[in-house]
Amino acid sequence: MKLPNKITSYNESSISKFPPILKVLREGEKSPIELYEKAKKDKISISEFMEVIDALYALGKIDLNGEGKLYYVTRD
């Protein structure tokens, strides 16, 4: 996972890919394939996509339902 530092700018980091993916999931549940198709429009490669999905899941921002679809986790 690319993190921003002196050499890697924020725009080149994996963290900059969080908002576009979360924006799509806020609209509704998506299968991983549907989500990747939308992510490709934001110039996110498959390896970056997998890193971002892993990180968002670990952070508790997204989850997988029983039907195999990803969704945005809302907190109260």
Side-chain angles (χ1 to χ4, degrees):
M1 183 167 172
K2 285 187 189 176
L3 296 175
N5 57 40
K6 290 181 182 179
I7 298 170
T8 305
S9 71
Y10 171 78
N11 290 333
E12 295 171 341
S13 72
S14 297
I15 295 173
S16 70
K17 313 301 191 270
F18 287 10
I21 290 177
L22 290 174
K23 181 180 177 185
V24 171
L25 288 177
R26 282 189 191 114
E27 296 169 0
E29 297 176 346
K30 301 275 187 256
S31 72
I33 293 170
E34 292 172 325
L35 186 57
Y36 177 64
E37 289 298 319
K38 295 207 179 241
K40 281 196 317 190
K41 295 175 185 172
D42 290 313
K43 308 234 188 279
I44 299 174
S45 70
I46 187 70
S47 60
E48 290 174 323
F49 176 75
M50 293 304 298
E51 289 174 354
V52 169
I53 294 300
D54 286 344
L56 290 172
Y57 182 79
L59 292 169
K61 294 294 183 183
I62 64 172
D63 207 349
L64 193 64
N65 68 13
E67 300 170 3
K69 293 196 176 197
L70 295 165
Y71 65 95
Y72 180 74
V73 175
T74 57
R75 305 267 186 225
D76 292 334

Coordinates of all heavy atoms in Angstrom, one line a residue:
M1 N 0.8 -1.2 0.0 CA 0.0 0.0 0.0 C 0.9 1.2 0.0 O 1.8 1.4 0.8 CB -0.9 0.0 1.2 CG -1.9 1.1 1.3 SD -3.1 0.8 2.5 CE -3.9 2.3 2.5
K2 N 0.6 2.1 -0.9 CA 1.4 3.4 -1.0 C 0.8 4.4 -0.1 O -0.3 4.8 -0.2 CB 1.3 3.9 -2.4 CG 2.1 3.2 -3.5 CD 2.0 4.0 -4.7 CE 2.6 3.3 -5.9 NZ 2.4 4.1 -7.1
L3 N 1.7 4.8 0.9 CA 1.3 5.9 1.8 C 2.0 7.2 1.4 O 3.1 7.1 0.9 CB 1.6 5.5 3.2 CG 0.9 4.3 3.8 CD1 1.4 3.9 5.1 CD2 -0.6 4.5 3.8
P4 N 1.4 8.3 1.6 CA 2.0 9.6 1.3 C 3.3 9.8 2.1 O 3.3 9.5 3.3 CB 1.0 10.7 1.6 CG -0.1 10.0 2.3 CD 0.0 8.5 2.2
N5 N 4.3 10.2 1.5 CA 5.6 10.6 2.2 C 6.3 11.6 1.4 O 5.8 12.2 0.5 CB 6.4 9.3 2.5 CG 6.7 8.5 1.2 OD1 7.0 9.1 0.2 ND2 6.7 7.2 1.2
K6 N 7.6 11.7 1.6 CA 8.4 12.7 0.9 C 8.5 12.4 -0.6 O 8.6 13.3 -1.4 CB 9.8 12.8 1.5 CG 9.9 13.4 2.9 CD 11.3 13.5 3.3 CE 11.4 14.1 4.7 NZ 12.7 14.1 5.3
I7 N 8.5 11.2 -0.9 CA 8.6 10.8 -2.3 C 7.3 10.6 -3.0 O 7.1 10.9 -4.2 CB 9.5 9.5 -2.4 CG1 10.8 9.7 -1.9 CG2 9.5 8.9 -3.8 CD1 11.7 8.5 -1.7
T8 N 6.3 10.0 -2.3 CA 5.0 9.7 -2.9 C 4.0 10.8 -2.4 O 3.8 11.0 -1.2 CB 4.5 8.3 -2.4 OG1 5.4 7.3 -2.7 CG2 3.1 8.0 -3.0
S9 N 3.4 11.5 -3.4 CA 2.5 12.5 -3.1 C 1.1 11.9 -2.6 O 0.9 10.7 -2.9 CB 2.2 13.4 -4.3 OG 1.5 12.8 -5.3
Y10 N 0.3 12.7 -2.0 CA -1.0 12.2 -1.6 C -1.8 11.7 -2.8 O -2.4 10.6 -2.7 CB -1.8 13.4 -1.0 CG -3.3 13.0 -0.7 CD1 -3.6 12.2 0.4 CD2 -4.3 13.4 -1.5 CE1 -4.9 11.8 0.6 CE2 -5.6 13.0 -1.3 CZ -5.9 12.2 -0.2 OH -7.2 11.9 0.0
N11 N -1.7 12.4 -4.0 CA -2.5 12.0 -5.2 C -2.0 10.6 -5.7 O -2.8 9.9 -6.4 CB -2.4 13.0 -6.2 CG -3.2 14.3 -5.9 OD1 -4.2 14.2 -5.1 ND2 -2.8 15.4 -6.4
E12 N -0.8 10.3 -5.5 CA -0.2 9.0 -5.9 C -0.4 7.9 -4.9 O -0.2 6.7 -5.2 CB 1.3 9.1 -6.2 CG 1.6 10.1 -7.3 CD 3.1 10.3 -7.4 OE1 3.8 10.1 -6.5 OE2 3.5 10.8 -8.5
S13 N -0.9 8.3 -3.7 CA -1.0 7.3 -2.6 C -2.3 6.5 -2.7 O -3.3 6.9 -3.4 CB -0.9 8.0 -1.3 OG -2.1 8.7 -1.0
S14 N -2.4 5.4 -2.0 CA -3.6 4.6 -2.0 C -4.7 5.3 -1.2 O -5.9 5.1 -1.5 CB -3.3 3.2 -1.3 OG -2.4 2.5 -2.0
I15 N -4.4 6.1 -0.3 CA -5.4 6.8 0.5 C -6.2 7.8 -0.4 O -7.4 8.0 -0.1 CB -4.7 7.6 1.7 CG1 -4.1 6.6 2.6 CG2 -5.7 8.5 2.4 CD1 -3.2 7.3 3.7
S16 N -5.6 8.3 -1.4 CA -6.4 9.2 -2.3 C -7.4 8.5 -3.1 O -8.3 9.1 -3.7 CB -5.4 9.9 -3.3 OG -4.9 9.0 -4.2
K17 N -7.4 7.1 -3.1 CA -8.4 6.3 -3.8 C -9.6 6.0 -2.9 O -10.6 5.5 -3.4 CB -7.8 5.0 -4.3 CG -6.4 5.1 -5.0 CD -6.5 6.0 -6.2 CE -5.2 5.9 -7.1 NZ -4.1 6.8 -6.9
F18 N -9.5 6.3 -1.6 CA -10.6 6.0 -0.7 C -11.9 6.7 -1.1 O -13.0 6.1 -1.2 CB -10.3 6.3 0.7 CG -9.3 5.4 1.4 CD1 -8.6 4.4 0.7 CD2 -9.0 5.5 2.8 CE1 -7.7 3.5 1.3 CE2 -8.1 4.6 3.4 CZ -7.5 3.7 2.7
P19 N -11.9 8.0 -1.2 CA -13.1 8.8 -1.5 C -13.9 8.3 -2.7 O -15.1 8.2 -2.6 CB -12.6 10.2 -1.6 CG -11.4 10.3 -0.8 CD -10.7 8.9 -1.0
P20 N -13.3 8.1 -3.9 CA -14.1 7.6 -5.0 C -14.8 6.3 -4.8 O -16.0 6.2 -5.2 CB -13.1 7.5 -6.2 CG -11.9 8.2 -5.8 CD -11.9 8.3 -4.3
I21 N -14.2 5.4 -4.1 CA -14.8 4.1 -3.8 C -15.9 4.2 -2.8 O -17.0 3.7 -2.9 CB -13.7 3.1 -3.4 CG1 -12.9 2.7 -4.7 CG2 -14.3 1.8 -2.8 CD1 -11.7 1.8 -4.5
L22 N -15.6 5.0 -1.8 CA -16.7 5.2 -0.7 C -17.9 5.9 -1.3 O -19.0 5.7 -0.9 CB -16.1 6.0 0.5 CG -15.1 5.2 1.3 CD1 -14.5 6.1 2.4 CD2 -15.8 4.0 2.0
K23 N -17.6 6.9 -2.2 CA -18.7 7.6 -2.8 C -19.7 6.7 -3.6 O -20.9 6.8 -3.5 CB -18.2 8.7 -3.8 CG -19.2 9.5 -4.5 CD -18.6 10.5 -5.4 CE -19.7 11.3 -6.1 NZ -19.1 12.2 -7.1
V24 N -19.1 5.7 -4.3 CA -19.9 4.8 -5.0 C -20.7 3.9 -4.1 O -21.9 3.6 -4.3 CB -19.0 3.9 -6.0 CG1 -19.8 2.7 -6.6 CG2 -18.4 4.7 -7.1
L25 N -20.1 3.5 -3.0 CA -20.8 2.6 -2.0 C -21.8 3.3 -1.2 O -22.7 2.7 -0.7 CB -19.7 1.9 -1.1 CG -18.9 0.8 -1.8 CD1 -17.9 0.2 -0.9 CD2 -19.8 -0.3 -2.4
R26 N -21.7 4.6 -1.1 CA -22.7 5.4 -0.4 C -24.0 5.4 -1.1 O -25.1 5.5 -0.6 CB -22.3 6.8 -0.1 CG -21.3 6.9 1.1 CD -21.1 8.4 1.4 NE -19.9 8.4 2.3 CZ -18.8 9.0 2.1 NH1 -18.6 9.5 0.9 NH2 -17.8 9.0 3.0
E27 N -23.9 5.2 -2.5 CA -25.1 5.2 -3.3 C -25.9 3.9 -3.2 O -27.1 3.8 -3.5 CB -24.7 5.4 -4.8 CG -24.1 6.7 -5.1 CD -23.4 6.8 -6.4 OE1 -23.5 5.8 -7.2 OE2 -22.9 7.9 -6.7
G28 N -25.2 2.8 -2.8 CA -25.8 1.5 -2.6 C -24.8 0.4 -2.7 O -23.7 0.6 -3.0
E29 N -25.3 -0.8 -2.4 CA -24.5 -2.0 -2.4 C -24.0 -2.3 -3.8 O -24.8 -2.1 -4.8 CB -25.3 -3.2 -1.9 CG -25.7 -3.1 -0.4 CD -26.5 -4.2 0.0 OE1 -27.0 -5.0 -0.8 OE2 -26.7 -4.4 1.2
K30 N -22.8 -2.8 -3.9 CA -22.2 -3.2 -5.2 C -21.4 -4.5 -5.0 O -20.8 -4.7 -4.0 CB -21.3 -2.1 -5.7 CG -21.9 -0.8 -5.9 CD -22.5 -0.7 -7.3 CE -23.0 0.7 -7.6 NZ -24.4 1.0 -7.4
S31 N -21.5 -5.3 -6.1 CA -20.6 -6.5 -6.1 C -19.2 -6.0 -6.3 O -19.0 -4.9 -6.8 CB -21.0 -7.4 -7.2 OG -20.7 -6.9 -8.4
P32 N -18.2 -6.7 -5.9 CA -16.8 -6.3 -6.2 C -16.5 -6.0 -7.7 O -15.8 -5.0 -8.0 CB -15.9 -7.5 -5.7 CG -16.8 -8.1 -4.6 CD -18.2 -8.0 -5.1
I33 N -17.1 -6.7 -8.6 CA -16.9 -6.5 -10.0 C -17.5 -5.2 -10.4 O -16.9 -4.4 -11.1 CB -17.4 -7.7 -10.8 CG1 -16.6 -8.9 -10.6 CG2 -17.4 -7.3 -12.3 CD1 -17.2 -10.2 -11.1
E34 N -18.8 -4.9 -9.9 CA -19.4 -3.6 -10.3 C -18.6 -2.5 -9.7 O -18.5 -1.5 -10.4 CB -20.8 -3.6 -9.7 CG -21.8 -4.6 -10.3 CD -23.1 -4.6 -9.5 OE1 -23.1 -4.5 -8.2 OE2 -24.2 -4.8 -10.1
L35 N -18.1 -2.6 -8.5 CA -17.4 -1.6 -7.9 C -16.1 -1.3 -8.6 O -15.7 -0.2 -8.9 CB -17.1 -1.9 -6.4 CG -16.4 -0.8 -5.6 CD1 -17.2 0.5 -5.6 CD2 -16.2 -1.3 -4.2
Y36 N -15.4 -2.4 -9.1 CA -14.2 -2.2 -9.8 C -14.4 -1.5 -11.2 O -13.6 -0.7 -11.6 CB -13.4 -3.5 -10.0 CG -12.2 -3.3 -10.9 CD1 -11.1 -2.6 -10.4 CD2 -12.1 -3.9 -12.1 CE1 -10.0 -2.4 -11.2 CE2 -11.0 -3.7 -12.9 CZ -9.9 -2.9 -12.4 OH -8.8 -2.7 -13.2
E37 N -15.5 -1.9 -11.8 CA -15.8 -1.2 -13.1 C -16.0 0.3 -12.9 O -15.5 1.1 -13.8 CB -17.1 -1.8 -13.7 CG -17.0 -3.2 -14.2 CD -15.9 -3.3 -15.3 OE1 -15.9 -2.5 -16.2 OE2 -15.2 -4.3 -15.3
K38 N -16.6 0.7 -11.8 CA -16.7 2.1 -11.6 C -15.4 2.7 -11.2 O -15.1 3.9 -11.5 CB -17.8 2.4 -10.5 CG -19.2 2.0 -11.0 CD -20.2 2.7 -10.3 CE -21.6 2.3 -10.8 NZ -22.3 3.3 -11.4
A39 N -14.6 2.0 -10.4 CA -13.3 2.5 -10.0 C -12.3 2.7 -11.2 O -11.5 3.6 -11.2 CB -12.7 1.5 -9.0
K40 N -12.5 1.9 -12.2 CA -11.6 2.0 -13.4 C -11.8 3.4 -14.0 O -10.8 3.9 -14.6 CB -11.9 0.9 -14.4 CG -11.3 -0.4 -14.1 CD -11.3 -1.4 -15.3 CE -12.5 -1.4 -16.1 NZ -12.5 -2.6 -17.1
K41 N -12.9 3.9 -13.9 CA -13.2 5.3 -14.5 C -12.4 6.3 -13.8 O -12.1 7.4 -14.4 CB -14.7 5.6 -14.4 CG -15.5 4.7 -15.3 CD -17.0 5.0 -15.1 CE -17.8 4.0 -15.9 NZ -19.2 4.1 -15.6
D42 N -12.0 6.1 -12.5 CA -11.1 7.0 -11.8 C -9.7 6.6 -11.9 O -8.9 7.0 -11.0 CB -11.6 7.0 -10.3 CG -12.9 7.7 -10.1 OD1 -13.1 8.8 -10.7 OD2 -13.8 7.1 -9.4
K43 N -9.3 5.8 -12.9 CA -8.0 5.4 -13.1 C -7.3 4.7 -12.0 O -6.2 4.9 -11.6 CB -7.1 6.6 -13.5 CG -7.7 7.4 -14.6 CD -6.7 7.6 -15.7 CE -7.2 8.6 -16.8 NZ -8.0 8.2 -17.7
I44 N -8.1 3.7 -11.4 CA -7.6 2.9 -10.3 C -7.3 1.5 -10.8 O -8.2 0.9 -11.4 CB -8.7 2.8 -9.1 CG1 -8.9 4.2 -8.6 CG2 -8.2 1.9 -8.0 CD1 -10.0 4.3 -7.5
S45 N -6.1 1.1 -10.7 CA -5.7 -0.2 -11.2 C -6.3 -1.3 -10.3 O -6.7 -1.1 -9.2 CB -4.2 -0.4 -11.3 OG -3.6 -0.4 -10.0
I46 N -6.2 -2.6 -10.8 CA -6.7 -3.7 -10.0 C -6.0 -3.9 -8.7 O -6.5 -4.2 -7.7 CB -6.8 -5.0 -10.9 CG1 -7.5 -6.1 -10.1 CG2 -5.4 -5.5 -11.3 CD1 -9.0 -5.9 -10.0
S47 N -4.6 -3.7 -8.8 CA -3.8 -3.9 -7.6 C -4.1 -2.8 -6.6 O -4.3 -3.1 -5.4 CB -2.3 -3.9 -7.9 OG -1.9 -2.7 -8.5
E48 N -4.3 -1.5 -7.0 CA -4.7 -0.5 -6.1 C -6.1 -0.7 -5.6 O -6.3 -0.5 -4.4 CB -4.7 0.9 -6.9 CG -3.3 1.4 -7.2 CD -3.4 2.6 -8.1 OE1 -4.3 2.8 -8.9 OE2 -2.5 3.5 -7.9
F49 N -7.0 -1.2 -6.4 CA -8.3 -1.5 -6.0 C -8.3 -2.5 -4.8 O -9.0 -2.3 -3.8 CB -9.2 -2.0 -7.2 CG -10.6 -2.4 -6.8 CD1 -11.5 -1.4 -6.6 CD2 -10.9 -3.7 -6.7 CE1 -12.8 -1.8 -6.2 CE2 -12.2 -4.1 -6.4 CZ -13.2 -3.2 -6.2
M50 N -7.6 -3.6 -5.0 CA -7.5 -4.6 -3.9 C -6.9 -4.0 -2.6 O -7.4 -4.3 -1.6 CB -6.7 -5.8 -4.4 CG -7.4 -6.6 -5.6 SD -9.1 -7.1 -5.2 CE -8.8 -8.2 -3.8
E51 N -5.9 -3.2 -2.8 CA -5.3 -2.6 -1.6 C -6.3 -1.7 -0.8 O -6.4 -1.7 0.4 CB -4.1 -1.8 -1.9 CG -2.9 -2.7 -2.4 CD -1.7 -1.9 -2.9 OE1 -1.8 -0.6 -3.0 OE2 -0.7 -2.5 -3.1
V52 N -7.0 -0.9 -1.6 CA -8.0 0.0 -1.0 C -9.1 -0.7 -0.4 O -9.5 -0.4 0.7 CB -8.5 1.0 -2.1 CG1 -9.6 1.8 -1.6 CG2 -7.3 1.9 -2.5
I53 N -9.6 -1.8 -1.0 CA -10.7 -2.5 -0.5 C -10.3 -3.2 0.8 O -11.0 -3.2 1.8 CB -11.2 -3.6 -1.5 CG1 -11.9 -2.9 -2.7 CG2 -12.2 -4.6 -0.8 CD1 -13.1 -2.0 -2.3
D54 N -9.1 -3.8 0.8 CA -8.5 -4.4 2.1 C -8.4 -3.4 3.2 O -8.8 -3.6 4.3 CB -7.2 -5.0 1.8 CG -7.2 -6.3 1.0 OD1 -8.3 -6.9 0.9 OD2 -6.1 -6.7 0.5
A55 N -7.9 -2.2 2.9 CA -7.7 -1.1 3.9 C -9.1 -0.6 4.4 O -9.2 -0.5 5.6 CB -6.9 0.0 3.3
L56 N -10.0 -0.4 3.5 CA -11.3 0.1 4.0 C -12.1 -0.9 4.8 O -12.7 -0.6 5.8 CB -12.2 0.5 2.7 CG -11.7 1.7 2.0 CD1 -12.5 1.9 0.7 CD2 -11.9 3.0 2.9
Y57 N -11.9 -2.2 4.5 CA -12.5 -3.3 5.3 C -11.8 -3.3 6.7 O -12.5 -3.4 7.7 CB -12.4 -4.6 4.6 CG -13.0 -5.7 5.3 CD1 -14.4 -5.9 5.3 CD2 -12.3 -6.6 6.1 CE1 -15.0 -7.0 6.0 CE2 -12.8 -7.6 6.8 CZ -14.2 -7.8 6.8 OH -14.8 -8.8 7.5
A58 N -10.5 -3.2 6.7 CA -9.8 -3.3 8.0 C -10.1 -2.1 8.8 O -10.2 -2.2 10.1 CB -8.3 -3.3 7.7
L59 N -10.4 -0.9 8.2 CA -10.8 0.3 9.0 C -12.2 0.3 9.4 O -12.7 1.2 10.1 CB -10.5 1.5 8.1 CG -9.0 1.8 7.9 CD1 -8.9 2.9 6.8 CD2 -8.4 2.3 9.2
G60 N -13.0 -0.7 8.9 CA -14.4 -0.8 9.3 C -15.3 0.1 8.5 O -16.4 0.4 8.9
K61 N -14.8 0.6 7.4 CA -15.6 1.6 6.6 C -16.5 0.9 5.6 O -17.6 1.4 5.1 CB -14.7 2.5 5.8 CG -13.9 3.5 6.6 CD -14.9 4.4 7.3 CE -14.2 5.4 8.2 NZ -15.1 6.3 8.9
I62 N -16.2 -0.4 5.2 CA -17.0 -1.2 4.3 C -17.1 -2.6 4.9 O -16.3 -3.0 5.7 CB -16.5 -1.2 2.9 CG1 -15.1 -1.9 2.8 CG2 -16.4 0.1 2.3 CD1 -14.6 -2.2 1.4
D63 N -18.2 -3.3 4.4 CA -18.3 -4.7 4.8 C -19.0 -5.5 3.7 O -19.4 -4.9 2.7 CB -19.2 -4.8 6.1 CG -18.9 -6.0 6.9 OD1 -18.2 -6.9 6.5 OD2 -19.5 -6.0 8.1
L64 N -19.0 -6.8 3.9 CA -19.6 -7.7 2.8 C -20.9 -8.3 3.4 O -20.9 -8.8 4.5 CB -18.6 -8.7 2.5 CG -18.7 -9.6 1.3 CD1 -18.7 -8.8 0.1 CD2 -17.7 -10.7 1.3
N65 N -22.0 -8.2 2.6 CA -23.2 -8.8 3.1 C -23.3 -10.3 2.7 O -22.4 -10.8 2.1 CB -24.4 -8.0 2.7 CG -24.7 -8.1 1.2 OD1 -24.1 -8.9 0.5 ND2 -25.6 -7.3 0.7
G66 N -24.3 -11.0 3.1 CA -24.5 -12.4 2.8 C -24.6 -12.7 1.4 O -24.4 -13.9 1.0
E67 N -24.9 -11.7 0.5 CA -25.1 -11.9 -0.9 C -23.8 -11.7 -1.7 O -23.8 -11.7 -2.9 CB -26.2 -11.0 -1.4 CG -27.5 -11.3 -0.8 CD -28.6 -10.2 -1.2 OE1 -28.2 -9.3 -2.0 OE2 -29.7 -10.3 -0.7
G68 N -22.7 -11.4 -1.0 CA -21.4 -11.1 -1.6 C -21.3 -9.7 -2.2 O -20.5 -9.5 -3.0
K69 N -22.1 -8.8 -1.6 CA -22.0 -7.4 -2.1 C -21.4 -6.5 -1.0 O -21.6 -6.7 0.2 CB -23.4 -6.9 -2.4 CG -24.0 -7.5 -3.6 CD -25.1 -6.8 -4.2 CE -25.6 -7.5 -5.5 NZ -26.4 -6.6 -6.3
L70 N -20.6 -5.6 -1.5 CA -20.0 -4.6 -0.5 C -20.9 -3.5 -0.2 O -21.7 -3.1 -1.1 CB -18.7 -4.1 -1.2 CG -17.6 -5.1 -1.4 CD1 -16.5 -4.5 -2.4 CD2 -16.9 -5.5 -0.1
Y71 N -20.8 -3.0 1.0 CA -21.6 -1.8 1.3 C -20.9 -0.9 2.3 O -20.0 -1.3 3.0 CB -23.0 -2.2 1.9 CG -22.9 -3.0 3.3 CD1 -23.0 -2.3 4.5 CD2 -22.7 -4.4 3.3 CE1 -22.9 -3.0 5.7 CE2 -22.6 -5.0 4.5 CZ -22.7 -4.3 5.7 OH -22.6 -5.0 6.9
Y72 N -21.3 0.4 2.3 CA -20.7 1.4 3.2 C -21.3 1.2 4.6 O -22.5 1.0 4.8 CB -21.1 2.8 2.6 CG -20.5 3.9 3.5 CD1 -19.2 4.2 3.4 CD2 -21.4 4.6 4.3 CE1 -18.7 5.3 4.2 CE2 -20.9 5.7 5.0 CZ -19.5 6.0 5.0 OH -19.0 7.0 5.7
V73 N -20.4 1.2 5.6 CA -20.9 1.0 7.0 C -21.1 2.4 7.6 O -20.2 3.2 7.6 CB -19.8 0.2 7.8 CG1 -20.2 0.2 9.2 CG2 -19.5 -1.1 7.2
T74 N -22.4 2.5 8.1 CA -22.7 3.8 8.7 C -22.6 3.6 10.2 O -22.9 2.5 10.7 CB -24.1 4.3 8.3 OG1 -25.0 3.2 8.7 CG2 -24.2 4.6 6.9
R75 N -22.2 4.6 10.9 CA -22.0 4.5 12.4 C -23.0 5.5 13.0 O -23.3 6.5 12.5 CB -20.6 4.9 12.8 CG -19.5 4.2 12.1 CD -19.1 3.0 13.0 NE -17.9 2.4 12.4 CZ -17.8 1.1 12.3 NH1 -18.7 0.3 12.7 NH2 -16.8 0.6 11.7
D76 N -23.6 5.1 14.1 CA -24.5 5.9 14.8 C -23.8 6.6 15.9 O -22.9 6.2 16.5 CB -25.7 5.1 15.4 CG -26.6 4.6 14.3 OD1 -26.6 5.2 13.2 OD2 -27.2 3.6 14.5

